Amino acid sequence: MNKIANKTIINNVLLEESANDKDIVVLCSDSRGSAGLGPFAKERPDQFVEVGIAEQNLVSIAAGLAVSGKKAFAVSPASFLSTRSMEQAKVDVAYSHTNVKLIGISGGVSYGELGMTHQSANDIATMASIPGMRAYLPSDRFQTEKLMRALLKDTDPAYVRIGRNAVEDVYEEGNVPFEMNKATMIQDGADITIIAAGEMVQGAKAAGEALKEKGISARVLDMYCIKPIDEEAIIKAAKETKMILTVEEHTKFGGLGSMVAQVTAANCPTKVVSLTLPDTPAISGKSPAIFKYYGLDGEGIVKKVCELLG
Amino acid sequence: MNLKKKAFELRKDVVEMIYRAKTGHIGGDLSVMEILVDLYYKQMNVSPENFKNPDRDRFVMSKGHSVEALYSVLADRGFFPKEKLETFAQFGSEFIGHPTNKVNGIEMNTGSLGHGLAVGVGMALAAKMDKRPSRVYVVMGDGELAEGSVWEAAMAGSHYKLDNLTAFVDRNHLQISGTTEQVMNQKSQEQRWAAFGWNVISVPGNDLDAIDGAVEIAKRVKDKPTVIVAHTTKGFGVSFIENQVGWHHHVPNDEEYAAALKELDERGAQCE
């Protein structure tokens, strides 16, 4: 079991890159501990800005720094960042087109026992709906590193959601296929395509392997790039496999499933079924238990695929 | 240059722009003009020539609805040809009803109130980090101060001892629904800023010399940001618009337009 959380990787990449790039600035809203950014704050005090518990301020200050030439990374729990400061993300980041990367930590139901206040089951919908804002949900530590390095090279606004705890590796060290804004095919198949993002990818991968043993050939796509979504990979899947199952740690409104269905409906009408969180506050518990409860884990995905393929 | 007269001349451009487009926020445009004239003609190190220079001073019009005043100043300072103002609020024009950085001379898009001060905090922090001489100026409306995000930024400004940051409050006592005191009382404005750790200067806000003096003081204050509470008259310069809540975004008709230009000419001539 991997013990390194995605947030730790973000800290490590920023710490490493900022050694030679004084324009990298990290901002937190009393969230350096939960963000795993303690080392960055300690090692780079001149490149770290604490704003206190004030997410609106966090994002606007980040934009002010960015418009002055800084590469700003505003890091805060996804629940607050994607809603409390949504207008700042819209106006000061996306509309003004500032080089701010919004990093939503402890996303989805990571804070499973803390109630809906602390969960971000709607962050894809809020952030991706902003004109000019990109949205990424990396699946594991290796992909998180690739994504961070890619984001450091561009100057466009982006939102990144990661979970709180370490997750099982999806990829192997040294073998991490990654192309910016292109889905990664984890397994090819012909019967069905499973498209997942973020922490759901490990379940999708496990399901793909389990289905193989049952004689079902599933294509598994890691759609870490929710926006801009990889339309080509979706259309290809719609054409080459019988149907599509999407899996997301998000409600069914305006998330991965909605976006995939929009692409297929316009280009290659195909049955698209979505496994999502419910349109109610999620049940309380640790996130793996919540995933299991709503059928969002490997087992739930296998069950759904078998049901769909009859 | 006679800047007092200039402020009245630029007000004519504002009235012209709004009359032509049949839209705009005339009351706040007219109240804020001396602040803009002092900053753009006297105080700020910013010009069309140095607008990409990282050492330039920064300006954020947080009360974005007063964009017509800003456009008229930027045009006169040569950031773009004055004829461009004729496209104000026309289909496809970049000269829209709130500031956008598609227009040369504008740093940040604004319009939604309560954002500008925090953006200014970020700009001032960046200047400190890079040890640049840049000063940052933010203009807010008084009605805007009901936005909680203003006070988040006020906290950060004093926490980080941003003595390179100067905020203005265009304290004209009116907002769209009535007086600021009727809508959301803020009689203790100066005390509020002081309680947040700011250096507070209160001035008659349509008095160019008073504003200039306040900005000079702000430049010498160390370790804290300054707020200049500029007690202005909404609609200043046109007697029938002055202090009338209905003129927040009323558009002058033909007679009002002619009368406004005539009065602004007269007021300008009195400055000679």
Side-chain angles (χ1 to χ4, degrees), chain B residues 153-173:
Chain B
M155 271 186 264
S158 62
H159 179 85
Y160 284 105
K161 301 182 167 50
L162 298 177
D163 50 21
N164 54 348
L165 172 65
T166 300
F168 283 89
V169 178
D170 181 1
R171 184 76 174 103
N172 60 34
H173 294 263

Side-chain angles (χ1 to χ4, degrees), chain B residues 170-201:
Chain B
D170 181 1
R171 184 76 174 103
N172 60 34
H173 294 263
L174 287 177
Q175 58 190 105
I176 198 165
S177 309
T179 69
T180 49
E181 277 50 58
Q182 284 167 340
V183 177
M184 188 50 66
N185 181 27
Q186 47 177 282
K187 272 182 182 156
S188 57
Q189 201 50 251
E190 277 85 354
Q191 293 97 302
R192 294 181 195 192
W193 287 100
F196 275 78
W198 284 57
N199 175 48
V200 186
I201 306 175

Side-chain angles (χ1 to χ4, degrees), chain B residues 7 10 14 27 43 51 63 67 70 105 122 129 141 172 180 183 187 202:
Chain B
L10 292 169
V14 165
Q43 288 290 353
F51 192 61
K63 51 170 265 177
V67 73
L70 181 59
M129 285 174 179
N172 60 34
T180 49
V183 177
K187 272 182 182 156
S202 212

Side-chain angles (χ1 to χ4, degrees), chain A residues 22-23 25 27 46-51 53-70 84 87-89 91-98, chain B residues 56 58 96 98-101 107-115 117-127 129-130 132 147-149 152-156 159-160:
Chain A
K22 294 295 164 200
D23 284 334
V25 177
L27 301 93
D46 297 338
Q47 288 166 267
F48 182 81
V49 179
E50 175 62 75
V51 304
I53 306 168
E55 292 80 14
Q56 299 177 80
N57 218 20
L58 174 86
V59 176
S60 294
I61 292 176
L65 284 159
V67 80
S68 305
K70 299 295 178 189
R84 184 64 161 263
E87 194 188 67
Q88 282 71 19
V91 176
D92 304 332
V93 179
Y95 182 37
S96 288
H97 200 85
T98 50
Chain B
R56 72 187 180 280
R58 308 299 207 279
I96 60 174
H98 289 104
T100 84
N101 54 17
E107 305 272 1
M108 278 299 280
N109 300 3
T110 53
S112 177
L113 298 170
H115 289 234
L117 190 60
V119 169
V121 166
M123 291 171 163
L125 269 173
M129 285 174 179
D130 293 344
R132 295 189 188 281
E147 292 281 6
S149 50
E152 291 185 7
M155 271 186 264
H159 179 85
Y160 284 105

